Amino acid sequence: MQDQPRIIVIDDDPLIRLLVGKALQAVGLQTTETASAEEGLALFARCGADAVLLDVMMPGGMDGFAACALLRQLPEGQHIPVLMMTGLEDLESINHAFESGATDFITKPINIPLLGHRVRYMLRASHTTQCLLESEQRLHRMAYFDSLTDLPNRQFFREHLQRIIALAHRQKLKLAVLFLDLDGFKRINDTLGHHLGDQVLQETGERLRKSLRASDALIRTGATQDGDTLARLGGDEFTVLLSMIERDEDAASVAERIRISLAQAFNFDDHELYTTTSIGIAIFPDDGATAEELLKNADLAMYYAKREGGNKYRYFSTKMTDAALRRLALENNLRKAAGHGELELYYQPQLDLVTGTFCGVEALLRWDSVELGCIPPAEFIPLAEEAGLIAAIGEWVLRQACQQAKAWFTDDMPLARMAVNVSTVQLLHKGFYAMVTGILAETRLDPHVLELEITESALVCDEASVMGALSALKQIGVQLAIDDFGMGYSSLSRLKSFPIDRLKVDQSFVHNIEQDPENAAIATAIIAMAKSLGMKVTAEGVETDAQLAFLKDRKCDEAQGFLLAKPMPAIEIREFLLNQLISTE
Ligand code: C2E
Ligand code: MG
Ligand code: MG
């Protein structure tokens, strides 16, 4: 009985209700009969049905046309078969019936014996249509929706964006595409498992829905209501389309709301998790004319937000593109540079101005990229610092330099000093001291030979660990120099509190030293100050005899510069230094 299709028969004529009911029951259908449209609709709304048979003319109440139209508006009533029964046979009535949503139409007097079969046939046809419809909807969902978060997917977003762009183009409107990426999501996934990772993504989707709903004033497309301007592209990447923004800044307020919402704790089972989000914003038409371009540029802007430490939003501007793409290429190549043998150390000799002999060398890193050519350190070192690659590269440099110095020693070319540049970012790494002592032990180089060149920024930063590491290195004999001195803002008292052996006068003060009284005064002051603090002084960037004479006159200890020698590869420097030894002997 339960499985039999249920039919509601609505007719004000009790005899017809009775006859129709019997006819349908005879072919195995269940029926419920009502005398008015109102009653029938209420019954349908309450209990549903597999089909409705509806009389058109029902004096005193709602007629069949109106009832059918209302039925079609009920969620369950959209697709069920509705058979209209009427004495009206004119074309207008028939049209009216179909316009009201009728599936079929029979005229009175009703051929009762045939009715059961007709309704059965209608149910079968409707069932088939329903199945087709459902599988079509399922396919649509699979192609366009992400099953984890139930948000639209990349394909949907792209197509939708294309449509909205066309609209915005015609109406001269602005749009914003937000590209979101959770910071450190991989860590959650790797350490706590995919199950929790999935929950974070689902909750992220929910919070995004809520954040957007709250911004109705901004987003006036009905689209946002059912979430189709929000998508999950895959992994921990989400996108948001804000249509009809008035000013570029409007996107920032939504981005900020999203950022704050996603920074709140996630509570699952026994876990309290935190994650932040980086958001890139691209504006139509300024930042791209197509969906592809806008998505790509929003992604790039997101990448910039991430590079600046994450948990923020960044706008893309076309001006950024070339620079950004170059940086991306540089970073990708730099990651592989050491492994691909693209890095090499050059060595620049340092001259002792008192004895006139070369007393040491400074190791200078060279990167000859197969793909990008030679890149100067001034360009790739800051990049390595930002991209978190400096620790690995710095370690490679130190190991290489120490191995080289040791090799020269064993090869009977003793060298008083191997100076190695160390970036402040590198110094801030907790393992810095252990790394240096490890390499000294591994290469068996006398620590006194090693001089680390740090910049003034290392003295300004407030990290106790930096001071600790430097003091400990000083203890075991490693020498410390301040590079590019005079450019930073280190106070004298701070300088005094660090165990520094040497100041290197920045090239910019040596340049023009003979003509520019200001430069001459600064260089002279630095030399005098270093002496009074018990430190040695090396002048960098010496290019002319006049500069050298000036420095000698002011009792500068050492000089380094193209006038004396350019940085050279290991083999050349060996020749160079051996020749010097012979000529001074
Ligand atoms: P720096 O440590 O002050 O190195 C001196 C720079 O001046 C070198 O540039 C050198 O080639 C250049 N130079 C030497 N003599 C002269 C001269 O007479 N005139 C002029 N105009 N320039 C001269 P380079 O090799 O391009 O390195 C630039 C900077 O990159 C270095 O400045 C240093 O701060 C950084 N760097 C180089 N190698 C490394 C490294 O292995 N690690 C780190 N952290 N930084 C490095
Ligand atoms: Mg240096
Ligand atoms: Mg320097």
Side-chain angles (χ1 to χ4, degrees), residues 348 362 365-366 377 421 423 483-484 507 540-541 543 561-562 567:
Q348 185 177 35
E362 176 179 3
L365 186 54
R366 296 291 173 261
N421 292 287
S423 111
D483 206 353
D484 307 336
Q507 319 194 348
E540 290 192 88
E543 294 180 351
F562 294 165

Side-chain angles (χ1 to χ4, degrees), residues 350 362-364 419-422 453-454 483-484 504 540 560:
Q350 299 171 321
E362 176 179 3
L364 292 161
V420 176
N421 292 287
V422 173
E453 292 192 4
I454 62 178
D483 206 353
D484 307 336
K504 295 189 76 179
E540 290 192 88
Q560 189 181 336

Side-chain angles (χ1 to χ4, degrees), residues 351-356 502-505 510 513 523-524 526-528 530-531 535-540 542 547-560:
L351 186 74
D352 185 324
L353 294 180
V354 180
T355 63
R502 174 185 311 279
L503 296 185
K504 295 189 76 179
V505 184
V510 176
I513 209 170
T524 309
I526 294 176
I527 295 169
K531 296 232 173 269
M535 297 173 188
K536 297 280 189 196
V537 197
T538 300
E540 290 192 88
V542 179
Q547 290 165 357
L548 191 65
F550 181 97
L551 293 162
K552 267 188 188 160
D553 183 57
R554 304 297 147 103
K555 302 278 180 296
C556 182
D557 301 294
E558 295 181 16
Q560 189 181 336

Side-chain angles (χ1 to χ4, degrees), residues 344-346 348 362-366 375-382 385 390 393-394 396-398 420-424 426 453 455 483-484 504-507 511 540-544 547 560-567:
E344 187 184 358
L345 286 187
Y346 273 40
Q348 185 177 35
E362 176 179 3
L364 292 161
L365 186 54
R366 296 291 173 261
I375 318 290
E379 188 174 358
F380 75 79
I381 295 283
E385 288 174 347
I390 194 67
I393 291 177
W396 182 91
V397 167
L398 189 69
V420 176
N421 292 287
V422 173
S423 111
T424 303
Q426 223 181 320
E453 292 192 4
T455 58
D483 206 353
D484 307 336
K504 295 189 76 179
V505 184
D506 191 73
Q507 319 194 348
H511 184 67
E540 290 192 88
V542 179
E543 294 180 351
T544 68
Q547 290 165 357
Q560 189 181 336
F562 294 165
L563 174 71
L564 310 164
K566 292 210 166 188

Side-chain angles (χ1 to χ4, degrees), residues 254-459:
V254 180
E256 187 58 9
R257 191 185 4 253
I258 289 175
R259 188 190 68 76
I260 292 169
S261 151
L262 295 181
Q264 309 301 311
F266 288 83
N267 288 300
F268 304 119
D269 310 330
D270 298 335
H271 294 276
E272 190 178 56
L273 299 178
Y274 289 90
T275 172
T276 54
T277 309
S278 298
I279 305 172
I281 305 171
I283 306 284
F284 171 86
D286 313 22
D287 298 336
T290 64
E292 291 305 322
E293 254 170 38
L294 285 174
L295 270 169
K296 189 187 80 194
N297 291 344
D299 187 2
L300 259 174
M302 180 283 292
Y303 169 80
Y304 264 77
K306 199 147 277 224
R307 285 278 296 275
E308 287 171 25
N311 195 20
K312 54 169 67 93
Y313 64 81
R314 278 288 167 263
Y315 278 90
F316 173 87
S317 78
T318 339
K319 281 169 254 133
M320 266 172 59
T321 328
D322 293 343
L325 288 176
R326 166 139 177 107
R327 287 169 71 100
L328 261 178
L330 278 173
E331 191 183 316
N332 285 336
N333 281 279
L334 189 55
R335 243 171 243 289
K336 301 171 279 181
H340 288 182
E342 296 176 350
L343 297 182
E344 187 184 358
L345 286 187
Y346 273 40
Y347 300 91
Q348 185 177 35
Q350 299 171 321
L351 186 74
D352 185 324
L353 294 180
V354 180
T355 63
T357 55
F358 285 100
C359 48
V361 294
E362 176 179 3
L364 292 161
L365 186 54
R366 296 291 173 261
W367 176 25
D368 188 1
S369 160
V370 174
E371 232 168 85
L372 306 162
C374 287
I375 318 290
E379 188 174 358
F380 75 79
I381 295 283
L383 186 82
E385 288 174 347
E386 281 174 40
L389 299 170
I390 194 67
I393 291 177
E395 183 171 346
W396 182 91
V397 167
L398 189 69
R399 180 171 286 111
Q400 193 70 21
C402 290
Q403 273 170 0
Q404 188 59 73
K406 184 67 185 177
W408 281 330
F409 262 93
T410 23
D411 206 14
D412 241 9
M413 198 195 69
L415 193 76
R417 182 187 318 123
M418 171 63 80
V420 176
N421 292 287
V422 173
S423 111
T424 303
V425 179
Q426 223 181 320
L427 272 182
L428 286 167
H429 274 257
K430 293 279 175 284
F432 182 72
Y433 172 79
M435 190 270 288
V436 177
T437 49
I439 287 178
L440 284 170
E442 176 190 316
T443 55
R444 285 181 288 119
L445 181 72
D446 176 359
H448 294 88
V449 174
L450 181 63
E451 182 168 274
L452 299 181
E453 292 192 4
I454 62 178
T455 58
E456 282 183 270
S457 63
L459 307 187

Side-chain angles (χ1 to χ4, degrees), residues 43-178:
L43 178 71
F44 182 84
R46 229 175 28 249
C47 312
D50 297 290
V52 175
L53 266 61
L54 191 54
D55 181 23
V56 171
M57 302 297 286
M58 288 182 285
M62 190 190 297
D63 70 16
F65 300 127
C68 184
L70 276 177
L71 183 75
R72 289 303 185 208
Q73 283 169 30
L74 296 174
E76 305 293 324
Q78 279 176 29
H79 303 297
I80 63 146
V82 177
L83 183 64
M84 293 282 229
M85 308 177 288
T86 180
L88 306 170
E89 263 191 280
D90 56 300
L91 193 62
E92 199 182 336
S93 301
I94 296 172
N95 279 340
H96 196 173
F98 285 117
E99 272 160 24
S100 310
T103 314
D104 206 352
F105 186 94
I106 52 170
T107 48
K108 293 182 178 176
I110 295 168
N111 183 336
I112 293 292
L114 260 182
L115 180 69
H117 298 289
R118 184 140 181 195
V119 171
R120 272 225 160 266
Y121 173 79
M122 196 172 71
L123 282 171
R124 248 200 328 274
S126 145
H127 180 69
T128 317
T129 322
Q130 198 63 31
C131 288
L132 279 172
L133 212 70
E134 274 168 21
S135 64
E136 204 173 287
Q137 277 169 350
R138 234 188 351 262
L139 274 175
H140 180 268
R141 283 202 84 72
M142 267 159 60
Y144 284 116
F145 283 79
D146 163 48
S147 57
L148 182 68
T149 57
D150 211 25
L151 289 178
N153 64 14
R154 181 190 295 271
Q155 184 65 19
F156 186 107
F157 191 82
R158 198 189 290 130
E159 290 178 17
H160 181 67
L161 182 55
Q162 262 154 9
R163 281 193 295 272
I164 299 288
I165 285 176
L167 215 79
H169 183 70
R170 275 199 298 279
Q171 303 179 5
K172 305 242 173 308
L173 295 172
K174 265 183 188 297
L175 305 171
V177 173
L178 273 54

